[in-house]
Amino acid sequence: MARCLVIRTAGTNCEAEMQRAFELAGARVEVVHVDRLIREPGMLDGFELIGFPGGFSYGDDIAAGRVLAVRLRERLWGALRSAAERGACMIGVCNGFQVMTQVGLLPGPTGAVGSVPTKAPTPTVALAENAGGRFVDRWVRMELGAGAERCVWTRGLVEHGGDGALMMLPIAHGEGRFVGSEEVVAGLVSSGRAVLRYAEGDDPNGSMAR
């Protein structure tokens, strides 16, 4: 049975949902406050799965996920780097995804094992304010992109629906517009790392490459 760590802090409010999701998938889950991990970074060595849940970490002061991301970059990058190097699977949902981009964990290294930088890298993508300037809370059509069969989080969806399959998923965010340089975004698409994309005509926030 895989061991899963769910990282919580002030303002996160979806750690219980993430815990239940992993438990339904068969994992043994432990929810741990980031302050404890900072005191005991070696704890991360005992987990095969690491989850960053949604919510409003630290009230989204400054920007969505920024405060937690800074703490992780400054205090836990070494432990997170080691986890990535040994192949631990990480996932960020909503605010957790915003955090992972600012930490530099996403979009992730392009090279082989051993290519994760020693120091926290400068982020190359971001979740900016929605193009419409308003919080968006609705269901959207999503499609599986090329490479979804290689992603541990989506390969089961491909088996049931195939590349390009459509699904309906809920969103709720004010800073969800995925942006980066044209070169970086094009590289994500061409390398098959954009495994979930908004369906044609259903881009709710103005994200690049949908």
Side-chain angles (χ1 to χ4, degrees):
M1 179 183 293
R3 291 194 64 203
C4 173
L5 169 69
V6 174
I7 300 175
R8 72 175 183 89
T9 192
T12 54
N13 58 22
C14 295
E15 58 266 33
E17 289 89 339
M18 180 172 277
Q19 177 181 2
R20 177 165 172 76
F22 275 117
E23 288 176 343
L24 287 173
R28 188 166 74 254
V29 185
E30 187 171 348
V31 180
V32 179
H33 196 285
V34 69
D35 287 352
R36 182 181 176 190
L37 294 175
I38 289 173
R39 294 193 303 268
E40 306 173 51
M43 284 188 66
L44 273 78
D45 295 340
F47 297 92
E48 294 81 39
L49 303 170
I50 299 173
F52 299 83
F56 299 89
S57 58
Y58 297 101
D60 278 350
D61 289 345
I62 307 174
R66 181 71 54 81
V67 175
L68 178 56
V70 169
R71 298 199 72 200
L72 294 173
R73 285 175 63 87
E74 293 182 349
R75 306 296 297 275
L76 278 173
W77 175 258
L80 290 169
R81 175 184 183 275
S82 296
E85 287 285 2
R86 62 180 168 79
C89 295
M90 303 185 194
I91 189 169
V93 177
C94 198
N95 193 246
F97 186 85
Q98 294 165 329
V99 169
M100 290 184 74
T101 60
Q102 295 181 64
V103 171
L105 290 168
L106 292 175
T110 57
V113 174
S115 63
V116 181
T118 303
K119 295 183 178 180
T122 300
T124 58
V125 298
L127 281 302
E129 290 185 358
N130 297 342
R134 302 181 66 178
F135 191 91
V136 178
D137 180 6
R138 66 180 179 87
W139 289 76
V140 296
R141 293 181 303 126
M142 304 289 294
E143 64 181 30
L144 294 173
E149 74 283 351
R150 301 199 310 271
C151 176
V152 66
W153 306 113
T154 57
R155 66 172 60 128
L157 300 176
V158 175
E159 293 171 2
H160 287 87
D163 185 22
L166 292 175
M167 65 192 76
M168 295 291 291
L169 294 175
I171 61 168
H173 56 248
E175 297 176 44
R177 180 166 56 93
F178 186 81
V179 297
S181 70
E182 291 187 2
E183 180 182 7
V184 167
V185 174
L188 291 174
V189 175
S190 64
S191 64
R193 289 190 288 163
V195 297
L196 272 177
R197 303 172 68 179
Y198 294 120
E200 185 71 36
D202 204 356
D203 181 352
N205 48 44
S207 291
M208 296 178 67
R210 305 192 323 276

